[in-house]
Amino acid sequence: LAALADEDVLPALFPLLVREDNRLRANLMLALYPRYPEQVMGYVRRMLKSDRVSFRVSGLYCAQFLDHHEMYSTVLDSLQTEKDQPFFRTLLDWIEKHGPRERVIKDLEDVAAVRVDRAAEVSESLAKLGAAAGGAAGAEGAAAAAGSASPSSVATPTGGTPIAAEAAPAGGVRPTR
């Protein structure tokens, strides 16, 4: 679709936006992004706030190809409220990979404090980030986030990958299947 998004074909793409197919909409967003970046980012933000998990997944798929700095706060907000466990993990993965390093650890510590029900998962992310940075900041973040989780369910910043993360497909949930 991106190759079709030239001046002649572009008007034909707009009617496809009303279709209820999350994958089609995601691909349309990617095709329209070079010409309409602000509008596309706004639409993807709405997709990330959808009541439907499939649209949230597709929105996050799009966000990896858009301006990460612009999308970060929306993805972080989604993390605060997401109820779907596999998609919560996928949001964490996106933040680990695309989030601004100077903010991610502090922001995830805040998420762990608010999302006590997901503190162990957030602690795993903090541990990975701390190990990647080789730092005490990540270890401190993991320890702080683990405060409300049971000690046996919290990963330690040893640099190893938790078993649960290895079992998930690379990149987490995909909108294509």
Side-chain angles (χ1 to χ4, degrees):
L1 282 174
L4 295 176
D6 65 16
E7 290 292 324
D8 298 331
V9 181
L10 198 57
L13 297 178
F14 292 125
L16 297 174
L17 288 173
V18 298
R19 298 239 178 124
E20 286 297 315
D21 183 332
N22 59 297
R23 294 174 292 180
L24 175 63
R25 285 189 188 179
N27 284 302
L28 284 169
M29 291 300 102
L30 296 177
L32 296 171
Y33 181 65
R35 294 195 67 52
Y36 304 100
E38 293 302 317
Q39 294 87 342
V40 166
M41 284 189 289
Y43 192 85
V44 170
R45 285 184 182 100
R46 287 191 298 279
M47 288 177 76
L48 283 164
K49 294 176 182 177
S50 174
D51 292 337
R52 297 167 58 187
V53 174
S54 62
F55 276 81
R56 294 194 305 271
V57 168
S58 293
L60 188 64
Y61 171 78
C62 286
Q64 72 181 327
F65 299 105
L66 306 181
D67 183 333
H68 298 147
H69 178 74
E70 290 290 325
M71 296 305 301
Y72 178 75
S73 62
T74 303
V75 175
L76 186 63
D77 289 345
S78 297
L79 196 62
Q80 299 278 2
T81 59
E82 184 57 49
K83 292 177 179 29
D84 184 79
Q85 190 281 327
F87 187 56
F88 182 88
R89 179 70 248 167
T90 304
L91 288 164
L92 276 174
D93 292 343
W94 191 95
I95 287 175
E96 287 173 25
K97 183 174 181 180
H98 302 294
R101 293 291 160 230
E102 66 278 3
R103 290 183 50 195
V104 171
I105 290 175
K106 171 71 172 97
D107 288 343
L108 288 181
E109 288 171 348
D110 292 344
V111 169
V114 171
R115 294 296 306 268
V116 176
D117 60 321
R118 301 279 190 224
E121 291 168 86
V122 175
S123 293
E124 290 175 8
S125 290
L126 285 166
K128 283 194 276 184
L129 290 167
E140 289 169 13
S148 57
S150 67
S152 63
S153 66
V154 178
T156 58
T158 61
T161 303
I163 293 171
E166 290 177 322
V173 179
R174 296 273 184 219
T176 55
R177 298 280 169 200

